[in-house]
Amino acid sequence: MGIILKFRKFLPLISRILPWGGLAVIVCVYAWIEIANFTSAYREIDCEGYLLLAKRIANGGPLAVKDDDIFYYQNHVWIENGKGEVSPKFAPGYPAVMAVFYKIGGDVAMFWVSPVCGVITLVGAFLLFRLWMSSFAAFLATACLAFNRLFLVYTGYLLTHSLDICAVTWGMYFLFKWRREGGWKDALGCALVLGFACTVRFTEALLAIVVAIAIASRIFPYLSDVIRYRRKKKDTETPNPGYGPLISVGVLVAAYALFPCILFIYNKMMYGGFLTTGYYFSNEQYAYTWSQMVKMLPAIWSGMSH
């Protein structure tokens, strides 16, 4: 009985440590898979745009150069801006992170960005899942993510997907945590990470809608409390809502704007307009029309049916 009683005393500690031990096992197995299959090579032409832009950033530029070599820039990765300068059409966030790795470990180090982001994503996913479910369920969900075939492929390859999912996962964790607790530190973390995600893939700007909904879900109850307090000022039982919620919202909005503003400046310098991206010069936008979508419906349906 004495042994059982002593064991029961440690149950709360064990229950807190065990999920993290499980996460450590998942991360170690994932890391072993990535290390065992690591190859510092690529088979897709998009990767050369990221690599070259990363090196240009690491070496201090220029990020776009005038070059008339018609054989070197022959695929869809490269565009020529209004000044006749050639550069990759992609957003600069991922190459900027690659540039840091390049300065640390050279060419091969850039290929480690995706696996490292995969590890960080798993930790963030575990914390995010724990906001919604039990620690054991979060462990199972993280394991399903870690050993998903697509996750293993894209977090081991030289594309933006791994960094993108890493930023979005941590951004969502901070956002949901801020939505529950309202702390300014969570607001700052959410804003910086989701704002940075816009510089990795332009489409992540759509997450601003999610951020706006989260802000509204905190602002409207706050305004309701303010109105109730002002109507019942003489009632000492009605608490003063103060300005705390407004401070965290202000931090979130201001910090979220940081990286998009940097991206606007980058676009202005490279392509001549704050909202003009490299894709504008690739003419890809003409493929995204309603008439084109109708033409492609049979192919889309065929792909979905398989």
Side-chain angles (χ1 to χ4, degrees):
M1 287 292 292
I3 296 175
I4 295 175
L5 290 174
K6 288 181 179 180
F7 180 74
R8 289 179 64 181
K9 291 181 181 179
F10 290 102
L11 279 178
L13 179 62
I14 294 173
S15 64
R16 289 196 299 268
I17 295 176
L18 198 58
W20 290 100
L23 176 63
V25 171
I26 292 174
V27 169
C28 287
V29 174
Y30 164 82
W32 175 79
I33 293 173
E34 291 293 353
I35 292 171
N37 294 278
F38 178 77
T39 305
S40 55
Y42 59 90
R43 56 181 295 182
E44 196 167 339
I45 56 177
D46 290 35
C47 300
E48 68 182 41
Y50 295 121
L51 286 169
L52 189 54
L53 184 56
K55 288 186 176 183
R56 288 179 178 179
I57 294 173
N59 295 323
L63 305 183
V65 297
K66 289 188 177 182
D67 194 335
D68 296 327
D69 189 340
I70 62 173
F71 299 103
Y72 189 76
Y73 306 105
Q74 58 178 310
N75 56 55
H76 69 86
V77 171
W78 307 99
I79 56 93
E80 184 177 326
N81 62 22
K83 295 179 287 187
E85 298 169 337
V86 179
S87 71
K89 63 185 178 182
F90 305 122
Y94 179 50
V97 175
M98 293 173 68
V100 175
F101 277 67
Y102 176 72
K103 296 294 284 186
I104 295 172
D107 290 313
V108 176
M110 290 191 287
F111 290 82
W112 282 106
V113 174
S114 289
V116 169
C117 287
V119 170
I120 300 173
T121 298
L122 293 176
V123 177
F126 177 72
L127 293 173
L128 178 62
F129 295 150
R130 281 185 61 181
L131 295 178
W132 306 329
M133 58 188 76
S134 68
S135 294
F136 180 69
F139 162 77
L140 293 179
T142 306
C144 289
L145 174 64
F147 306 124
N148 179 280
R149 185 168 61 178
L150 287 177
F151 184 81
L152 288 171
V153 168
Y154 281 109
T155 57
Y157 194 53
L158 197 72
L159 288 175
T160 60
H161 300 70
S162 185
L163 179 59
D164 185 53
I165 192 175
C166 180
V168 172
T169 300
W170 277 95
M172 288 294 107
Y173 165 70
F174 286 122
L175 181 64
F176 276 92
K177 197 163 177 284
W178 172 77
R179 174 63 187 82
R180 290 186 178 185
E181 302 173 8
W184 69 267
K185 292 181 181 179
D186 292 322
L188 180 63
C190 160
L192 291 177
V193 177
L194 289 183
F196 172 73
C198 299
T199 71
V200 178
R201 295 179 76 91
F202 294 124
T203 50
E204 301 307 347
L206 293 173
L207 290 176
I209 299 173
V210 179
V211 174
I213 293 172
I215 291 174
S217 70
R218 288 199 64 87
I219 283 292
F220 288 136
Y222 169 74
L223 294 177
S224 177
D225 291 341
V226 170
I227 293 172
R228 190 181 302 110
Y229 172 74
R230 292 192 173 183
R231 284 179 178 176
K232 301 180 180 179
K233 253 187 177 182
K234 296 181 180 179
D235 185 0
T236 56
E237 294 183 359
T238 304
N240 186 346
Y243 297 101
L246 291 181
I247 293 174
S248 67
V249 169
V251 168
L252 195 155
V253 173
Y256 182 83
L258 175 62
F259 283 107
C261 286
I262 294 174
L263 185 60
F264 292 154
I265 295 171
Y266 175 85
N267 289 339
K268 179 66 175 177
M269 291 172 56
M270 294 284 286
Y271 310 117
F274 292 113
L275 297 177
T276 303
T277 70
Y279 287 90
Y280 172 80
F281 296 93
S282 70
N283 295 325
E284 292 180 34
Q285 63 270 27
Y286 298 113
Y288 296 93
T289 60
W290 291 109
S291 60
Q292 189 68 21
M293 187 185 74
V294 172
K295 292 179 183 178
M296 292 298 296
L297 279 177
I300 295 171
W301 177 254
S302 176
M304 293 175 63
S305 62
H306 285 83

